[in-house]
């Protein structure tokens, strides 16, 4: 073998060794995979008036029991409905968002998707059942009349005793429509809220107002001069509904089942305690 060929072979071998050394570099460890973003927590948006104590009301100080009102910064919702909503949200492992809405706009807001449910002391009337679904009742309801304690109607025992009386209800609710069951009544134009009913009774611009009987302990605590008229069976109002229920969209059948399951966890005693506490806690 001549020197030229030896030199060529040595050069080729040197290049091969050099390339092998380059290829033997340690591979870099792959960068750690980025952490997957945390799954966004579910929210349940609940509509209510925040003006219907002891069912729901607003206040300006945070407590362990109230919930911020989304569209009213600096104010918080509390009441029987709020505590029912908190229980449902906890059952669903969701964050509760309270949205303050006028009573007359609740069903429209629900069906337009602005809220997920109505928890506002709403009764499951036949007319409302045509628009939305309702849960099982979380509170049973009876209606009565409230008058001034020195009123000529303070001794009434039946609806017929209110013939000729001026009676006031709440607009767009059964608290107004049942007034027509009183024969000979002066059915006054309804007002937009229960607080306005109470104010009108206090001002003596009406003889009586229609009220939910289960809410009257709170009304009387605030207005001890009032008197509640309870009627014997067959002597009072006829109601075509079961009680206060959660309102949901017609197509939210899975959520309806979940809400009913959450409510089933609350015994009658639990519900009575929640309402009694709301009556005690409501603004005086």
């Amino acid at each position: 073998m001549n020197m030229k060929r030896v030199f060529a072979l040595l050069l080729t071998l040197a290049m091969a060794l050099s390339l092998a050394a380059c290829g033997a570099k340690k591979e870099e460890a792959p960068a750690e995979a980025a952490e997957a973003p945390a799954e966004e927590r579910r929210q349940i948006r609940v509509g209510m008036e925040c003006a219907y104590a002891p069912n729901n009301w607003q206040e300006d100080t945070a407590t362990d029991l109230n919930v911020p009102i989304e569209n009213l910064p600096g104010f918080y919702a509390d009441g029987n409905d709020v505590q029912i909503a908190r229980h449902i949200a906890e059952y669903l492992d969701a964050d509760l968002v309270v949205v303050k809405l006028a009573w007359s706009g609740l069903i429209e807001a629900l069906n337009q998707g602005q809220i997920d449910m109505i928890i506002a002391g709403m009764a499951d009337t036949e007319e409302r059942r045509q628009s939305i679904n309702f849960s099982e009742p979380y509170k049973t309801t009876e209606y009565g009349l409230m008058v001034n304690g020195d009123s000529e109607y303070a001794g009434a025992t039946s609806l017929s005793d209110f013939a000729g009386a001026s009676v006031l209800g709440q607009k767009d609710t059964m608290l107004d429509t049942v007034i027509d069951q009183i024969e000979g009544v002066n059915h006054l134009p309804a007002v937009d809220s229960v607080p306005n009913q109470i104010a009108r009774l206090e001002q003596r611009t009406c003889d009586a107002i229609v009220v939910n009987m289960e809410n009257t302990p709170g009304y009387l605590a605030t207005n001890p001069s009032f008197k509640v008229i309870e009627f014997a069976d067959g002597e009072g109002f006829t109601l075509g509904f079961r009680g206060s229920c959660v309102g949901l969209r017609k197509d939210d059948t899975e959520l309806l089942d979940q809400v009913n399951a959450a409510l089933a966890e609350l015994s009658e005693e639990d519900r009575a305690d929640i309402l009694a506490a709301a009556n005690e806690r409501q603004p005086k």
Side-chain angles (χ1 to χ4, degrees):
M1 183 179 295
N2 61 40
M3 292 300 296
K4 286 184 178 180
R5 291 189 63 185
V6 171
F7 181 77
L9 284 172
L10 289 173
L11 183 60
T12 301
L13 181 59
M15 290 178 62
L17 290 172
S18 175
L19 288 172
C22 291
K25 283 185 180 178
K26 186 177 180 180
E27 291 184 9
E28 292 184 8
E32 287 186 12
E35 270 189 34
E39 189 173 333
E40 190 170 336
R41 188 171 166 83
R42 180 182 183 183
Q43 283 189 342
I44 294 295
R45 299 172 58 79
V46 174
M48 60 183 67
E49 291 176 281
C50 302
Y52 186 19
N55 293 321
N56 52 76
W57 67 82
Q58 69 186 48
E59 50 197 25
D60 59 7
T61 303
T63 70
D64 292 337
L65 294 173
N66 62 25
V67 177
I69 301 173
E70 182 189 58
N71 54 335
L72 197 61
F75 286 86
Y76 306 84
D78 194 4
N80 186 69
D81 293 332
V82 175
Q83 303 314 311
I84 295 296
R86 288 182 63 195
H87 174 76
I88 292 171
E90 183 178 351
Y91 179 89
L92 297 173
D93 192 27
D95 291 331
L96 173 61
V97 177
V98 170
V99 182
K100 178 182 171 74
L101 295 165
W103 175 268
S104 58
L106 285 167
I107 290 179
E108 183 179 3
L110 176 66
N111 283 329
Q112 288 184 350
Q114 297 174 33
I115 54 177
D116 300 307
M117 58 184 76
I118 298 168
I119 307 181
M122 182 173 282
D124 58 328
T125 64
E126 182 178 355
E127 181 181 358
R128 291 174 189 146
R129 286 196 296 266
Q130 295 175 12
S131 302
I132 60 176
N133 278 337
F134 284 99
S135 70
E136 293 298 315
Y138 60 86
K139 185 181 71 170
T140 56
T141 298
E142 291 182 54
Y143 282 1
L145 290 165
M146 193 157 64
V147 301
N148 281 291
D150 58 359
S151 162
E152 63 180 290
Y153 298 100
T157 58
S158 68
L159 289 181
S160 60
D161 291 332
F162 285 87
S166 297
V167 181
L168 180 68
Q170 183 189 10
K171 186 178 180 182
D172 297 326
T173 73
M174 290 286 288
L175 294 174
D176 181 54
T177 56
V178 296
I179 294 174
D180 291 331
Q181 295 180 24
I182 306 172
E183 189 172 349
V185 73
N186 177 23
H187 187 164
L188 297 174
V191 293
D192 62 354
S193 69
V194 171
N196 281 340
Q197 282 182 280
I198 292 173
R200 290 281 298 275
L201 183 61
E202 198 170 21
Q203 295 160 8
R204 298 179 182 266
T205 57
C206 61
D207 295 313
I209 61 175
V210 184
V211 291
N212 293 83
M213 293 299 294
E214 64 274 17
N215 294 345
T216 55
Y219 301 156
L220 294 177
T222 308
N223 304 276
S225 63
F226 290 170
K227 181 178 180 181
V228 176
I229 307 300
E230 297 187 61
F231 302 112
D233 289 345
E235 298 294 333
F237 294 111
T238 299
L239 306 181
F241 55 83
R242 299 173 298 166
S244 296
C245 305
V246 179
L248 301 113
R249 284 182 288 273
K250 286 282 190 181
D251 56 357
D252 279 347
T253 54
E254 182 179 354
L255 184 56
L256 173 62
D257 290 341
Q258 293 171 336
V259 168
N260 280 329
L263 294 176
E265 291 188 338
L266 296 173
S267 67
E268 290 301 318
E269 184 178 357
D270 292 335
R271 299 175 194 215
D273 288 345
I274 292 170
L275 180 57
N279 270 310
E280 180 66 27
R281 203 168 59 249
Q282 69 176 303
K284 302 295 190 287

